[in-house]
Amino acid sequence: MKSLTASELQRLDALFGMSSKIGLTVHIHPDGDALGSGVALLRYLRKYRRRDAVLLLPDVYPDYLRFIVGDDEVVVAADAPETAAASLSACDLLVCLYHNSPGRTGALEAAVRACTAPKVLIDHHLDPETADYELVFSETEVSSTCELLFDILSEMPDIRAAGRFPVEIGTPLMAGMTTDTNNFANSVFPGTFRMASELLSAGVDRDSVLFMLYNQYRENRFRAMGCFLSEKLTLLPGGVAYAVFDRETEERFCLAEGDTEGFVNLPLGIAGVRVSVFLKEDDGFFRVSVRSTGDCSASDFAREYFHGGGHFHAAGGRLYFPDDIPGAA
């Protein structure tokens, strides 16, 4: 990871200091890293900077992440579009987390682009659209946006003065880093372990985080997982595995957002499988998740075939129908 420069950190500190209403946005379909980084920064701004801050989500987050979020900490644009738009219009600083472009904010995109407040980017994805932001913290050699935010907050004067990283901020960061690394299975760097060690020393209860992340799923998830493995999974020559969940399958198991989280990783446990692709039907397109091992690039695969991209071993995209899938309705 590149070192954070003193000038960048001082500029961020100054922006926090001169702003009274701060908006935070994250990627569409918020996952653990999106929600963890957003909630952590929100709590920092409210507790340590005494700022009027709001976390704006494009759409609903999965139930298994509900333990990260407090009652008054998020506004979901899909549920309250006018409130979300008004919050963006009123803010005098906008911090964009876990997305490299306003185009990745879904229902919030138009309001984000129209927002005239200074914009700060904190993200770990490739190819950020830096022209849209006044200050950019973009680093791919980290496990997650949560890890990058941990490093940034650790250098803020008030956190340093506290002498110990706050548990209520460290807990969502630990959760987000854990989910984005698949519990330390991929995209792990030396700084990732340093972050985990420091948060444990600060009092973050990792056992509790793991229990909430991996032991509170609905029964439907496990029955759908059985279908994924026994009925839908196809292994191709050359080490590629894929599975498709269409609407009929999703309705069969009454799947909700987040119920298929991690399914795409399962085939990588099969000897010889180097690339795993999972397609899940949405409105007018399939959401595509790609995972890989070794020297196989998931991001190149997603970019070439699925209008997507991402990290070397973890990427995503979309297949649209009927444009990409002739004959599909």
Side-chain angles (χ1 to χ4, degrees), residues 57 126 232 270:
L57 307 180
L126 297 169
K232 301 297 183 179
I270 300 172

Side-chain angles (χ1 to χ4, degrees), residues 201-214:
S201 296
V204 171
D205 187 345
R206 176 167 157 76
D207 289 341
S208 176
V209 169
L210 292 177
F211 178 81
M212 297 304 296
L213 286 176
Y214 301 118

Side-chain angles (χ1 to χ4, degrees), residues 177-198:
M177 177 273 289
T178 301
T179 60
D180 235 38
T181 62
N182 189 24
N183 198 15
F184 293 93
N186 52 262
S187 302
V188 175
F189 298 87
T192 313
F193 291 107
R194 285 195 296 270
M195 169 192 176
S197 179
E198 289 187 36

Side-chain angles (χ1 to χ4, degrees), residues 74-95:
V74 301
V75 173
V76 179
D79 297 335
E82 293 181 0
T83 301
S87 296
L88 279 171
S89 179
C91 72
D92 50 15
L93 177 66
L94 179 61
V95 183

Side-chain angles (χ1 to χ4, degrees), residues 81-155:
E82 293 181 0
T83 301
S87 296
L88 279 171
S89 179
C91 72
D92 50 15
L93 177 66
L94 179 61
V95 183
C96 301
L97 298 146
Y98 195 63
H99 60 85
N100 58 2
S101 162
R104 306 301 294 165
T105 59
L108 290 169
E109 179 181 358
V112 168
R113 292 191 184 278
C115 179
T116 59
K119 298 182 179 72
V120 175
L121 177 68
I122 302 175
D123 180 55
H124 77 133
H125 292 94
L126 297 169
D127 306 319
E129 295 181 7
T130 57
D132 292 310
Y133 306 96
E134 177 168 323
L135 182 61
V136 173
F137 295 90
S138 176
E139 176 57 61
T140 59
E141 295 296 305
V142 293
S143 67
S144 54
T145 298
C146 280
E147 182 182 333
L148 179 57
L149 181 62
F150 169 80
D151 289 337
I152 292 169
L153 292 180
S154 294
E155 295 299 322

Side-chain angles (χ1 to χ4, degrees), residues 13-263:
D13 184 45
L15 285 170
F16 287 158
M18 67 178 62
S19 305
S20 58
K21 293 182 180 295
I22 303 176
L24 311 176
T25 63
V26 299
H27 195 293
I28 191 173
H29 306 311
D31 62 6
D33 197 19
L35 204 61
S37 58
V39 169
L41 184 54
L42 179 81
R43 290 177 181 174
Y44 166 75
L45 292 169
R46 287 183 173 181
K47 178 175 180 177
Y48 286 88
R49 307 309 287 253
R50 300 291 190 266
R51 293 297 179 256
D52 180 2
V54 60
L55 174 56
L56 303 163
L57 307 180
D59 43 24
V60 69
Y61 54 88
D63 278 347
Y64 75 94
L65 296 174
R66 192 169 298 279
F67 76 99
I68 296 176
V69 187
D71 292 337
D72 65 340
E73 292 186 320
V74 301
V75 173
V76 179
D79 297 335
E82 293 181 0
T83 301
S87 296
L88 279 171
S89 179
C91 72
D92 50 15
L93 177 66
L94 179 61
V95 183
C96 301
L97 298 146
Y98 195 63
H99 60 85
N100 58 2
S101 162
R104 306 301 294 165
T105 59
L108 290 169
E109 179 181 358
V112 168
R113 292 191 184 278
C115 179
T116 59
K119 298 182 179 72
V120 175
L121 177 68
I122 302 175
D123 180 55
H124 77 133
H125 292 94
L126 297 169
D127 306 319
E129 295 181 7
T130 57
D132 292 310
Y133 306 96
E134 177 168 323
L135 182 61
V136 173
F137 295 90
S138 176
E139 176 57 61
T140 59
E141 295 296 305
V142 293
S143 67
S144 54
T145 298
C146 280
E147 182 182 333
L148 179 57
L149 181 62
F150 169 80
D151 289 337
I152 292 169
L153 292 180
S154 294
E155 295 299 322
M156 289 292 103
D158 33 25
I159 295 290
R160 294 180 69 178
R164 179 177 174 144
F165 206 90
V167 170
E168 68 272 19
I169 297 174
T171 297
L173 291 178
M174 178 74 87
M177 177 273 289
T178 301
T179 60
D180 235 38
T181 62
N182 189 24
N183 198 15
F184 293 93
N186 52 262
S187 302
V188 175
F189 298 87
T192 313
F193 291 107
R194 285 195 296 270
M195 169 192 176
S197 179
E198 289 187 36
L199 291 180
L200 286 172
S201 296
V204 171
D205 187 345
R206 176 167 157 76
D207 289 341
S208 176
V209 169
L210 292 177
F211 178 81
M212 297 304 296
L213 286 176
Y214 301 118
N215 293 281
Q216 293 293 296
Y217 287 113
R218 300 190 308 147
E219 176 187 349
N220 305 53
R221 166 182 167 83
F222 292 92
R223 299 201 180 278
M225 188 184 297
C227 172
F228 175 93
L229 293 170
S230 64
E231 300 178 29
K232 301 297 183 179
L233 185 61
T234 299
L235 304 181
L236 299 175
V240 176
Y242 77 91
V244 179
F245 270 20
D246 56 16
R247 283 294 197 201
E248 182 180 353
T249 305
E250 294 165 26
E251 292 171 0
R252 172 183 167 191
F253 295 100
C254 301
L255 294 180
E257 187 69 34
D259 280 345
T260 59
E261 182 71 23
F263 281 19

